[in-house]
Amino acid sequence: MTLNDSRHALNTALYHQIITDSQTGVAIFDAIRNESGECVDFVFSLINDAGAAILGKPAHELGGQRYLTYFAQAKSSGLFAVYKQVMDSGEPHRIPAQPYFADGVSGWFDMRIARYDDALVVTFNDITAIKQMEINYQQQATFLSQLLHTSPSAIVAYEAVREPETPAGQPGAITDFRAVFFNEAYERIFQEPGEQISSRTFRERFRGESHADLFPFYVQLVLSGEGFQRERYYPHLDKWLDLTGTRLHDGFLMVVHDITIQKKQAETLGQINQELVRSNESLQQFAYVASHDLQEPLRKILSFGDIIQNQYADRLDQQGADYVERMQSAAGRMQILIRDILIYSRLTTKPQLFRQIDAQPLIDGVLADLETAIDEKQAVVTVIGLNELTGDELQLRQLFQNLISNALKFTRPGVVPRISISGRTVRGYEAPVPLPVDARNRLFSLIDVTDNGIGFDPQYASRIFQVFQRLHGRTNQYGGTGIGLAIVQKVVDAHNGYIQAEGRPDEGATFRVLLPLNQ
C-alpha cells in the first residue's frame, strides 16, 4: 500500500467517524437510475445515529433500503422532486424549515441537500421544538394583540425621540415621543383616526398642553422609571381622563379610562350635598322655631286654660268645661309633638361625641325619669347583663327612654306589664340580627328590650321605625306622637348600629339593638 493510499484510507476513516459522531443528521443516498439514465429513486448508502434517531428508525434497518420504500409520501410532499432537482442540476439546496408529517415522521426539519458524484448528501436537524416555540409565541402575540385591541380601556405605548448620542456615548436628550402602539379604544377616546396618531408626534398632537406640564412630566417618567396615576381634564375633548403610566423600555405605556360620567356624577353629588347642608341649616332654623316660637303660644294656651279651669269653672256649664278640657288635651299633645320633632331634628344636626359609657347607670337614670309612668302601670322591670357601650350618652339615653316608654305605653288591660332589659357582647356572626358581611367579625353590644304588651303584626316590623307611623291609631288608650321609634332608628343609625323589632299580636314585642363597641 502506497503512502497516498494510506492517507486516503485515514481520511476516509476520519470522515466516517465525524459523520457518525455528528449531532446533526447525515444521510448519503446513492442514485437509482432507469435504462435511460433518469434518477427514479435513491438507496440509503449511509445514515448516522443522529439521523436515524430523528427519523425514528434504526440505522441498520435503513442501510441498503430504497428511499421511496420508507418515504412513500415524499413524492406527494414535493421533497423527492427537490432531491431529484439537486441530483440533476448539481446545485445545492437549503430548506430552512420543512414540515414533514407523513411516513411515521412528524416534525419540522432544517435541511441542506448537496450532490457528491452520483449520490446526495443530506444534512438535517429536527427544529420542531424551536418551531413550536415560534408558533406558540405567534399565537400568544396574536392573542395579546387581540386582547389589547378589543380592551375597553384605552392603551397607548410611546417611544422616546432623542437627539444624537453625546460624544461620551450617552443617550441624547428626549425631544418628543411617538406612539408605537395604540388600540381602538384610544382612538375613540381621543377622537383621532389611527393615521393621525401614527403620523404625528406627541408634541404635535398636544401642542399647548405638551409644553405646559404634560411633556416634562412624561420625560421625567422615562428618566426616573416611577409610574404614576392621575386624573386630568382635556379641554379640547371636554373629557376627564384617568391616566395610569409606567416606563416601557425607552418610553412609557399608558392606560386611559374615560371618567367624565363619574366626574359629572360626583359634581352632581356635591351639589346635592350642598343642598343637604342648606336643608340642615333650614332644619336648625325650624328647630329654633319649634323650641321657642311654637312652644311659647302653646304654653300660653295651656296657662290660660288652667286659669279658666281653676278660676272660672263655676261660670262654665258642662259643655263649656268639656270644650276647655279638650283644648287642654290637644294643646298638651301638640306640645309633646313639638318636643319630639325637636329631638328628632337635633339628632340630624348635632354632632355625636362618642365615648365609653357604662350601660347600667344610663338605664338606671332612664328608669328614674320614668318612675311615675312605671308606678302608674304597676310595671315590673328587670335589668340583667348590661356592660359598656360606645356612643353619645345623651342620644343613647333618648334611645332607651323611647324603647322603655313604648313598652309602658302599649300594655294589655288586666295584665301586669313586664319589661326585661338584657345585654351581652357578641360577634357579628353570633348576632340574631342580619348583618352585612363586613360586620360579621366586629364586636357589638347587644341589648334586648322585651315586653308582654299588645305586640304587633310581624309584617309591620320595619314600618314602625318610620316617622308618624302608628299601627294602633291615636286613641285615648294609646297616646304618643308616632316619632318615638323614629328617634330610636335615628340614634342607632348615628351609632353605625342595627336594630330589629319582633312582634307577636297580644303577646308582646322585642327590640334588639346592636351597637359597635369600637367606633
Side-chain angles (χ1 to χ4, degrees):
M1 178 181 294
T2 65
L3 180 59
N4 289 336
D5 291 337
S6 298
R7 287 178 177 174
H8 179 74
L10 181 61
N11 289 338
T12 300
L14 178 61
Y15 294 152
H16 187 275
Q17 190 64 40
I18 291 173
I19 292 172
T20 301
D21 295 341
S22 174
Q23 298 299 310
T24 299
V26 180
I28 299 177
F29 298 104
D30 290 333
I32 299 177
R33 300 181 181 275
N34 58 17
E35 295 178 353
S36 61
E38 179 187 5
C39 180
V40 294
D41 201 350
F42 298 94
V43 64
F44 280 94
S45 174
L46 172 68
I47 185 168
N48 65 355
D49 291 339
I54 290 174
L55 298 177
K57 302 179 185 295
H60 67 274
E61 181 181 312
L62 292 172
Q65 300 296 324
R66 292 175 69 123
Y67 175 75
L68 290 178
T69 300
Y70 273 88
F71 297 95
Q73 292 178 311
K75 281 189 174 182
S76 60
S77 69
L79 185 58
F80 180 77
V82 174
Y83 284 7
K84 186 176 179 182
Q85 178 184 349
V86 173
M87 177 59 71
D88 294 341
S89 66
E91 296 292 331
H93 186 80
R94 169 83 186 281
I95 303 176
Q98 173 70 44
Y100 199 89
F101 296 92
D103 300 315
V105 178
S106 179
W108 293 78
F109 303 94
D110 185 357
M111 305 175 65
R112 188 177 187 282
I113 308 158
R115 190 179 74 181
Y116 178 75
D117 289 338
D118 200 31
L120 289 181
V121 178
V122 181
T123 57
F124 53 98
N125 288 302
D126 187 350
I127 60 169
T128 304
I130 298 174
K131 193 65 180 179
Q132 191 61 53
M133 289 178 61
E134 291 179 359
I135 294 173
N136 291 340
Y137 174 78
Q138 290 175 354
Q139 289 175 342
Q140 291 175 1
T142 301
F143 172 76
L144 181 60
S145 177
Q146 291 175 345
L147 182 65
L148 293 176
H149 278 290
T150 58
S151 171
S153 301
I155 302 171
V156 61
Y158 285 102
E159 67 174 3
V161 178
R162 292 180 177 270
E163 293 179 346
E165 286 188 355
T166 66
Q170 297 297 321
I174 297 176
T175 60
D176 211 334
F177 293 100
R178 187 175 298 280
V180 294
F181 173 84
F182 50 88
N183 62 358
E184 294 177 3
Y186 184 82
E187 296 180 46
R188 288 195 302 270
I189 284 182
F190 284 90
Q191 300 172 5
E192 288 185 82
E195 298 78 11
Q196 290 187 15
I197 298 174
S198 300
S199 62
R200 297 192 297 166
T201 65
F202 179 86
R203 299 181 99 170
E204 290 171 343
R205 293 178 57 222
F206 303 97
R207 293 182 185 277
E209 294 175 286
S210 65
H211 294 285
D213 63 337
L214 281 182
F215 179 72
F217 182 83
Y218 293 138
V219 170
Q220 185 59 32
L221 165 64
V222 176
L223 296 179
S224 68
E226 295 182 4
F228 73 91
Q229 189 277 328
R230 65 189 301 198
E231 295 176 358
R232 183 177 180 84
Y233 177 70
Y234 286 77
H236 70 287
L237 299 173
D238 190 24
K239 291 180 180 179
W240 276 94
L241 302 180
D242 178 84
L243 312 173
T244 303
T246 55
R247 184 170 66 183
L248 181 65
H249 305 304
D250 193 30
F252 62 94
L253 177 72
M254 190 162 64
V255 180
V256 184
H257 295 95
D258 188 344
I259 58 171
T260 306
I261 294 177
Q262 294 91 316
K263 278 290 185 180
K264 289 182 177 179
Q265 289 175 341
E267 182 179 353
T268 302
L269 185 60
Q271 293 173 352
I272 293 174
N273 286 336
Q274 291 179 356
E275 291 295 329
L276 287 175
V277 170
R278 286 193 290 268
S279 176
N280 283 338
E281 291 174 352
S282 299
L283 187 59
Q284 287 179 328
Q285 293 175 359
F286 168 78
Y288 174 79
V289 171
S291 62
H292 185 272
D293 294 358
L294 290 180
Q295 292 201 53
E296 185 60 27
L298 280 175
R299 279 195 292 267
K300 288 183 178 180
I301 293 173
L302 288 169
S303 177
F304 287 138
D306 289 340
I307 292 174
I308 292 173
Q309 285 181 323
N310 294 331
Q311 298 183 16
Y312 299 93
D314 56 343
R315 301 183 187 183
L316 297 174
D317 58 15
Q318 184 175 359
Q319 188 176 20
D322 182 58
Y323 286 156
V324 173
E325 179 67 29
R326 291 185 184 184
M327 178 190 72
Q328 291 291 82
S329 176
R333 289 197 302 271
M334 177 63 74
Q335 193 173 48
I336 294 172
L337 176 61
I338 292 173
R339 182 203 63 193
D340 287 349
I341 291 175
L342 176 60
I343 292 173
Y344 187 81
S345 67
R346 283 177 175 171
L347 289 174
T348 304
T349 59
K350 186 179 179 182
Q352 291 79 40
L353 303 175
F354 289 173
R355 64 183 183 85
Q356 296 296 319
I357 301 168
D358 190 341
Q360 186 65 55
L362 186 145
I363 298 295
D364 289 343
V366 171
L367 294 176
D369 292 341
L370 297 174
E371 183 176 2
T372 301
I374 293 172
D375 291 342
E376 287 179 354
K377 293 279 188 173
Q378 296 182 344
V380 178
V381 181
T382 58
V383 182
I384 56 172
L386 297 184
N387 47 27
E388 279 195 341
L389 302 174
T390 301
D392 180 289
E393 184 171 2
L394 179 60
Q395 289 192 9
L396 292 177
R397 190 181 185 92
Q398 291 171 343
L399 183 151
F400 292 111
Q401 182 164 334
N402 278 283
L403 285 178
I404 298 171
S405 296
N406 192 74
L408 290 170
K409 187 186 305 175
F410 298 105
T411 57
R412 287 183 287 163
V415 177
V416 176
R418 298 186 182 276
I419 303 172
S420 170
I421 305 168
S422 61
R424 58 192 173 100
T425 301
V426 297
R427 288 281 180 187
Y429 60 81
E430 302 172 319
V433 177
L435 300 182
V437 176
D438 59 355
R440 296 183 65 82
N441 285 319
R442 297 183 63 187
L443 279 174
F444 291 88
S445 292
L446 171 63
I447 298 181
D448 289 346
V449 179
T450 303
D451 64 65
N452 64 342
I454 62 173
F456 60 88
D457 194 313
Q459 66 177 314
Y460 302 121
S462 59
R463 176 182 162 188
I464 60 175
F465 293 108
Q466 299 174 11
V467 179
F468 301 127
Q469 291 295 319
R470 298 174 55 89
L471 304 186
H472 308 287
R474 191 187 71 208
T475 65
N476 293 331
Q477 185 176 7
Y478 304 116
T481 61
I483 299 179
L485 291 181
I487 291 174
V488 169
Q489 180 72 68
K490 202 75 169 177
V491 173
V492 170
D493 291 343
H495 285 72
N496 304 308
Y498 306 89
I499 187 168
Q500 184 182 65
E502 294 180 0
R504 301 165 299 281
D506 296 324
E507 293 184 21
T510 296
F511 290 84
R512 292 194 168 94
V513 180
L514 275 174
L515 300 175
L517 276 180
N518 299 313
Q519 294 280 10

